[in-house]
Amino acid sequence: MIRLIVTLVAACLVVEGAEERIQWFRHDKFGMFIHWGPYSLLAGEWQGQRVPVGSEAEWIMQRFNIPVKQYREMAHGLDPEKFNAQEIVALAKRTGMKYVVITAKHHDGFAMYRSKVSNYNIVDWTAFKRDPVEELSRECRKAGIRFCVYYSHREDWDHPDGYGNNWDYDRTRKNFERYLEEKSKPQLRELLTNYGPLGLVWFDRGMDTPQQTAEFVKLVRTLQPNCLINGRVGNYAQDLMGDYQNMNDNGMPAGGLDEYWETPQTLNGTWGYSRFDQQWKTPGVVIRRLVEIVSKGGNYLLNIGPMADGTIPAPSVAVLEQVGAWMRKNGDSIYGTSACPMEFPWGRCTIKDNRLFLHVFSPPADGILRVSGLRNPVRTAYALLEPSRKLAVRGSGGVTAISLPPGGRDENDTVIVAEIAGKLETEPFVLTQGSDLGFELDTMAAATSGKAAKRFNREGKFHIARWTAPEDSATWTLLISQAGTYSVRIRYAARPESAGARYVLNVGPQSLEGAVEQTGPWYQYRTFDLGMAKIEKAGRYLVTMHPAESAGHNLMYLQSVVLQPVGVPQMID
Ligand code: H79
């Protein structure tokens, strides 16, 4: 009996639910990406041909169709004698990054770790003889940084059956399953077995079919149940099968999302090192991107591309040092915070409990910070770095005005703390009528409740999904200045199993009903007419959308509702 209990407790400790598993990721916000491989040795140039600045230097093999034989020959020369895992991890830590993701294998197929699956790996193939993945994992553990690996599970330009190399290998004769069984899965198994607990596995260029994706998910869950899986384990045109969504490379959503997400971004225009690309982002840009991402509920995975000898390009170190200096002082306004739905002309906000962090990117000339859209009273306000000096706060007409301190400004982002009374409440976003008198009620303008969630559709578009019951709803607030009749159209994608499900769209007091029509497998948005709505007089109206009844699955991927005046609108007194 006791043994049984012990076993059960142990099982509970290891196998966490999805929500518990992702807690650290939600808290930590900021990670280091490392792109490093034989392409770093080419540094953006092959036989006099250069990868254009702003393009991905780690794609050089594919860009110039370098034959496998020659690329393999070149890879023998990788000998990163200056590689120092301790220094890299220390840099990540000084920058305020909490997880490190290293390319264990990129699309070129070369393993940067000791692999028994293929001798095309840094230990067996080069004079280096060391395992950088092992060294990094050890240093991360010592430093309290989560160690993670990137593994290109689908693309492999070296393996005859891998995806992507059609210059050496005949596409029609490939047996993709053979590549998966011979190389991709066994190598992933090695990574999940030999390097201790991994924070996450970062897959790229998702699998073709959901069945294939499920096998990779299962492999990770079986070997390391607490390890996170990024969204790109699966295809962008399919539903999310990992733990969180990734934006497209260097992507930034237009607004906040109601799901866990991360954006991978580079410090210049390439991931792998290029000696030609010296277009480095400034520390200010990096700091403000971090803040913007966190203000929208996301994580920032920021890349460095070490050189072939293992050293990190000095300009990128310099940028990270300055980001780190800001983070050491202001990290409290980043870690453990949540998204904040307000955006301001002068900056962004993040929130933790009753502390609203106002990130001032460009201080107003008159020194008065106007916070519009906040419904809560502000109890007290002060600069994060100077809590003892209280700032004057005045509230009038829905705008809270905070007097900025005269000194102590940070040129990149000065953080002001506003302690609010109660749970954050903000004014809804109000849509107003433009010259064509139409309204587009899109995802970003919506307020969601229940399970309805704003999501990234992974082809770069946004929608609202997870509607399963009438309480899952989205609401838009409209200021209609022109009375009259409006046509109502709805744009969505829906899978076959949703066909026929009924939904309700309320326009003010009027209720329109529709039945979902399927639009194809995934994300094939179409527009449907829902009828007319009569607006008797100008004013403020709510438009609300929700399923008519409970269903076991998602109703649709709603992109927008469009209201367009028909006929001649009445003029208003
Ligand atoms: O690892 C980094 C990229 O190499 C990888 N994702 C990040 C994290 C990635 N995989 N696929 N893609 C990015 C899409 C790639 C597009 C391009 Fe290209 C590569 C654009 C330019 C080079 C494809 C090949 C289009 C032109 C050449």
Side-chain angles (χ1 to χ4, degrees), residues 33 35 39 51 54-59 62-63 103 106-107 150 152 155 157 202-205 232 249 264-266 271-272 301 303:
F33 216 170
H35 274 69
Y39 43 81
V51 176
S55 226
E56 292 85 340
E58 72 283 1
W59 275 71
Q62 193 261 14
R63 175 173 285 268
T103 46
H106 202 263
H107 307 335
Y150 169 109
S152 178
E155 200 95 6
W157 303 329
W202 216 96
F203 296 99
D204 210 350
R205 297 183 71 92
R232 290 193 193 172
D249 288 356
Q265 305 206 353
T266 64
W271 305 84
L301 183 59
N303 181 69

Side-chain angles (χ1 to χ4, degrees), residues 24-93:
W24 71 263
F25 182 83
R26 294 184 60 195
H27 177 274
D28 287 352
K29 309 289 184 198
F30 195 19
M32 174 185 271
F33 216 170
I34 305 174
H35 274 69
W36 196 42
Y39 43 81
S40 314
L41 195 54
L42 296 180
E45 186 170 26
W46 172 252
Q47 296 181 343
Q49 308 172 87
R50 291 180 184 182
V51 176
V53 170
S55 226
E56 292 85 340
E58 72 283 1
W59 275 71
I60 192 165
M61 181 177 178
Q62 193 261 14
R63 175 173 285 268
F64 299 126
N65 288 358
I66 303 175
V68 163
K69 198 164 170 295
Q70 290 182 48
Y71 196 87
R72 282 185 156 233
E73 194 58 39
M74 177 280 293
H76 277 310
L78 190 64
D79 189 13
E81 57 201 12
K82 296 198 178 128
F83 174 76
N84 184 328
Q86 193 183 353
E87 267 177 26
I88 294 176
V89 172
L91 175 65
K93 193 162 181 163

Side-chain angles (χ1 to χ4, degrees), residues 480-495:
I480 303 184
S481 56
Q482 193 71 70
T485 304
Y486 285 77
S487 70
V488 181
R489 281 174 300 151
I490 183 166
R491 184 167 176 78
Y492 63 77
R495 309 219 314 140

